[in-house]
Amino acid sequence: MDFSEVIGQKHLKSHLIKSIENGRVPHAQLFVGSSGSGTLPMAIAYAKKLLCSEHEAGSPAYLKCASKVDKLAHPDLHFVYPVNTSDKVSKNPVSSNYIEDWREFVSGNPYGSLFDWLQSLGIENKQGNISVNEAQDIIKTLSLKSYEGGYKILILWMAENMNTATANKILKLVEEPPEKTVLLLITENEEKIIATIRSRCQKLDFPM
């Protein structure tokens, strides 16, 4: 996903590109926009620029990096999204249980809604959750060194589905992430995210 593939939002694209070029990348950002506004595609395009910008554009190293991001399989790009139990996962579900489903879903429908995502898993009659188990995985994952020596990026989609216990558990990470770690929280309803998390993120509003 390149910035050129994100529909509209020229002002936001320009802002995000400049933040990288000027070396002023906020460690925690909140992308706020309704379904269809392009928050997830923009986050992936931004992650791609961050992860691959240390390579010369068009070089073999750059193309290899870009290909990994396009497949949502770059080792320093991590995703968290609402999940629930299913035929596949009977208890304590976390995002990593559904990573192949996620890659397939985003590749086919990057502007898809939460309902579309849950429907793709066959659990549209359940609530999508981001649980405390997920928070433990996030902390463990981001405490490790980056595989490729650059940024580590976490895209947390539909962050309003974190319960309070989950949000409190990752609060310290949002306040003081490890070096060159960027957290991109995406939400359709920022008021459902606890104030202590929101206040520590730089907010970007996505108009329709």
Side-chain angles (χ1 to χ4, degrees):
M1 179 70 67
D2 291 313
F3 280 117
S4 61
E5 296 173 78
V6 180
I7 301 164
Q9 311 294 11
K10 285 186 180 179
H11 172 71
L12 292 176
K13 288 178 194 175
S14 175
H15 166 77
L16 291 169
I17 290 167
K18 280 181 182 170
S19 76
I20 297 172
E21 291 174 346
N22 296 336
R24 294 172 177 257
V25 177
H27 66 262
Q29 301 181 50
L30 184 64
F31 288 12
V32 182
S34 57
S35 180
S37 63
T39 47
L40 179 59
M42 189 76 86
I44 295 170
Y46 186 48
K48 184 178 186 177
K49 183 99 175 153
L50 276 169
L51 289 167
C52 303
S53 60
E54 60 192 74
H55 307 297
E56 186 181 340
S59 68
Y62 178 90
L63 295 174
K64 188 175 180 182
C65 173
S67 174
K68 289 182 202 170
V69 177
D70 288 341
K71 293 172 184 169
L72 309 183
H74 192 290
D76 294 318
L77 176 58
H78 309 283
F79 291 94
V80 168
Y81 32 81
V83 294
N84 208 317
T85 54
S86 66
D87 293 341
K88 182 176 173 179
V89 183
S90 59
K91 68 175 187 174
N92 299 331
V94 290
S95 298
S96 58
N97 298 139
Y98 294 103
I99 186 61
E100 291 303 328
D101 304 278
W102 175 251
R103 288 171 180 151
E104 185 178 338
F105 172 73
V106 176
S107 297
N109 190 10
Y111 285 82
S113 67
L114 176 58
F115 178 80
D116 294 333
W117 162 237
L118 297 176
Q119 190 175 44
S120 76
L121 298 178
I123 57 171
E124 66 273 15
N125 60 336
K126 294 185 179 182
Q127 185 89 28
N129 299 312
I130 297 172
S131 70
V132 171
N133 292 325
E134 192 81 68
Q136 291 168 338
D137 277 8
I138 291 169
I139 292 164
K140 183 179 177 183
T141 298
L142 295 183
S143 68
L144 301 172
K145 285 187 176 180
S146 70
Y147 281 86
E148 302 202 350
Y151 280 98
K152 289 179 294 183
I153 300 170
L154 174 76
I155 296 177
L156 201 162
W157 185 64
M158 299 292 175
E160 65 268 34
N161 287 270
M162 282 190 291
N163 59 33
T164 304
T166 306
N168 283 328
K169 201 164 182 70
I170 69 163
L171 179 58
K172 185 164 175 45
L173 192 61
V174 174
E175 289 175 325
E176 301 172 19
E179 188 181 1
K180 292 193 87 171
T181 299
V182 176
L183 292 93
L184 303 176
L185 280 65
I186 297 173
T187 182
E188 292 184 0
N189 189 344
E190 61 181 302
E191 296 303 319
K192 286 189 176 179
I193 300 172
I194 63 171
T196 45
I197 294 270
R198 293 202 314 268
S199 65
R200 286 160 176 79
C201 296
Q202 180 171 305
K203 188 174 103 168
L204 288 181
D205 285 303
F206 282 63
M208 279 298 285

